[in-house]
Amino acid sequence: MTARGNRARGLARSLVWSYGTLWRRRRMVAFYAQFLRPGDLAFDVGSHVGNRVRAFRRLGARVVAVEPQPDLVAVLHRIYGRDPDVMVEARAVGARAGTATLRIATRTPTVSTLVPSWMEEVRTDRRFASVRWDRELTVPLTTLDALVARHGEPRFCKIDVEGSELDVLRGLSTAVPALSFEYLPPVVDRAVACVTRLAELGEYRFRHSPLETLRWADDAWLDADGMASALRALASSAPPGDVYAVRSDAVRA
């Protein structure tokens, strides 16, 4: 298959996965209603093709969609370009502003990454056995602090950046009310480091949810030590998922 064909196939796969299941769309909106209300601001860092953007907009939130891959940015503009409450930032996010090299997996663009060491670490997981990072692209890099200065403080910030979650959090100097970041059990120490970083920023409580289930894996909100222990207890074969953090003084009834 040609490079153009691979790109089209990768985009089609992402769109079907992100938008093709009605029950998951409804569950997503219900799940994020715990964090967002009409008029709130949400950041979607690593927007991909924007299924979280749609959920946040269904809740009445304004959204800053941050995505460095040009093909995916084009999709975001096509779907949300006429919505004045969706702002697309065509860039990556890291610990400091500048530029970075993005390693793109053309046929599976959802796992494109800025972090070569993460690519090597996840190769031990069978779920990544067929992934090929076959293109490189220099992309602009900003920080969460810069996005806050430009758009305002988000009520909720979703971070899904394939290995650079800690760098994203290092570019944030003030605790935001709520956020999420992805974890992968084979490289769980990366997620634990994110929990530690958030504990440095403020007093947070944590829960986690397995991949795309939009259901809690535990019964209660945990402190940082409790969340770190829960993550370390995951088997390496366990599914990936997301850790959610809520600043203690920002909990809503």
Side-chain angles (χ1 to χ4, degrees), residues 153-155 174-179 201-205 221 245-252:
E153 181 184 77
R155 179 74 201 185
T174 303
V176 299
L179 57 82
L201 290 175
E203 185 179 345
Y204 279 97
R205 296 190 294 170
W221 291 90
V246 177
R247 203 177 64 205
S248 296
D249 65 348
V251 175
R252 284 172 166 167

Side-chain angles (χ1 to χ4, degrees), residues 29-88:
V29 172
F31 185 83
Y32 286 110
Q34 300 172 86
F35 305 103
L36 289 167
R37 292 177 181 171
D40 285 344
L41 177 65
F43 285 1
D44 185 2
V45 178
S47 288
H48 200 55
V49 293
N51 62 337
R52 260 62 178 184
V53 176
R54 180 182 57 186
F56 298 163
R57 289 295 294 127
R58 291 280 176 87
L59 291 165
R62 296 169 294 119
V63 185
V64 176
V66 189
E67 173 57 53
Q69 297 186 64
D71 288 346
L72 305 185
V73 170
V75 171
L76 291 170
H77 280 300
R78 186 173 184 83
I79 297 174
Y80 301 106
R82 295 183 180 180
D83 187 339
D85 287 322
V86 176
M87 296 140 282
V88 178

Side-chain angles (χ1 to χ4, degrees), residues 183 206-210 215-218 220-222 227 230-231 234 241-244:
Y183 67 83
F206 301 86
R207 294 180 85 170
H208 70 290
S209 175
R215 297 184 187 278
W216 296 122
D218 38 29
W221 291 90
L222 306 172
M227 188 73 256
L231 289 170
L234 293 171
D242 296 288
V243 173
Y244 291 80

Side-chain angles (χ1 to χ4, degrees), residues 180-194:
S180 69
F181 61 87
E182 188 181 38
Y183 67 83
L184 290 172
V187 289
V188 74
D189 285 349
R190 290 181 177 271
V192 172
C194 290

Side-chain angles (χ1 to χ4, degrees), residues 79-140:
I79 297 174
Y80 301 106
R82 295 183 180 180
D83 187 339
D85 287 322
V86 176
M87 296 140 282
V88 178
E89 292 268 4
R91 60 193 72 245
V93 180
R96 57 188 62 85
T99 60
T101 300
L102 181 67
R103 281 79 178 176
I104 298 174
T106 302
R107 296 182 66 176
T108 50
T110 186
V111 295
S112 298
T113 182
L114 298 172
V115 187
S117 60
W118 180 87
M119 292 164 51
E120 295 304 315
E121 291 168 4
V122 300
R123 287 184 196 277
T124 61
D125 189 321
R126 61 178 176 77
R127 289 165 291 208
F128 288 82
S130 63
V131 175
R132 298 292 179 270
W133 290 273
D134 55 346
R135 289 193 294 144
E136 293 187 357
L137 181 69
T138 299
V139 297

